[in-house]
Amino acid sequence: MTAEKPLRADAQRKRQALLAKAREVFDAGEFFDLRFDDFAGLAGVGTGTLYRHFPTREALAEAVYHGEVAALCDRAGQLQATLPAGEALATFLRDMVDHIAAHQGLARTLATLWADRSGALAEGSRALEEAVGDLVAAAVREGTVRDDVDAGAVMMALHGIGAAHDRPAWRAEADGVITLVLDGLRRPL
């Protein structure tokens, strides 16, 4: 198998314009209100460019999702490199609630698109769980987090928060759940 050639600068800009516009449309909850070809015009590129980069609506959604996961994983690494481990973990969990709140349209769209293909999200979930695992492990080594909790439990709490996004007081409750999780993770004195 040969590696793909890197994109030319103009092609990379057009691809990024498509992804940025798709992110906006997801966040507005309008992904299904548009014909797939409409994404090209909204991003200021030709229809051929859209199909060359993203042959299907699902391919575009998957690329946006993987971009979001990469940004979250980068954020986790950045926090781990700049803050004490316990503080990095707490900041990341609170950032995740902010991210869930800001991108509810993306979450709904992905759930609809891939209701019968849950494996399509598995790679991103694994990468995110690995980033959370690194944060938890560092906090355990630092002595601020119990050593009997793993990243899976933290991810389950985050998934629960995301799944409850339709509750009227979701944001306040989500912040409260993160506080409960952090309190539960804290090593007893």
Side-chain angles (χ1 to χ4, degrees):
M1 177 181 266
T2 59
E4 289 185 31
K5 278 184 4 181
L7 294 175
R8 294 183 330 260
D10 63 325
Q12 183 63 28
R13 276 193 303 278
K14 290 175 182 179
R15 184 178 195 283
Q16 292 306 317
L18 285 163
L19 289 170
K21 187 50 67 178
R23 241 181 247 107
E24 286 177 32
V25 171
F26 282 131
D27 290 343
E30 300 170 348
F31 188 74
F32 295 110
D33 297 340
L34 299 174
R35 292 176 317 118
F36 185 55
D37 290 357
D38 292 341
F39 283 95
L42 291 171
V45 303
T47 305
T49 299
L50 169 66
Y51 283 96
R52 195 168 27 261
H53 291 287
F54 307 105
T56 65
R57 184 179 294 268
E58 291 80 7
L60 178 60
E62 189 171 348
V64 171
Y65 169 71
H66 286 298
E68 294 299 314
V69 168
L72 289 167
C73 290
D74 288 347
R75 177 71 174 144
Q78 185 180 59
L79 291 169
Q80 192 171 0
T82 58
L83 295 174
E87 189 178 338
L89 177 61
T91 300
F92 183 77
L93 295 180
R94 295 200 185 283
D95 286 354
M96 281 295 300
V97 170
D98 291 340
H99 187 270
I100 292 167
H103 301 288
Q104 289 180 18
L106 175 60
R108 279 192 214 94
T109 301
L110 292 173
T112 301
L113 279 174
W114 291 325
D116 62 341
R117 298 176 34 207
S118 62
L121 303 177
E123 182 182 327
S125 292
R126 279 190 299 275
L128 196 52
E129 187 164 339
E130 185 177 309
V132 169
D134 291 345
L135 289 166
V136 169
V140 167
R141 285 190 302 275
E142 180 185 74
T144 55
V145 167
R146 298 175 10 201
D147 61 2
D148 62 340
V149 179
D150 64 13
V154 176
M155 290 300 293
M156 187 177 284
L158 291 171
H159 285 296
I161 289 169
H165 69 271
D166 289 332
R167 292 177 57 83
W170 177 85
R171 183 53 200 243
E173 290 176 343
D175 289 336
V177 170
I178 292 299
T179 298
L180 284 172
V181 168
L182 291 169
D183 287 348
L185 288 171
R186 195 168 293 122
R187 181 182 295 276
L189 298 174

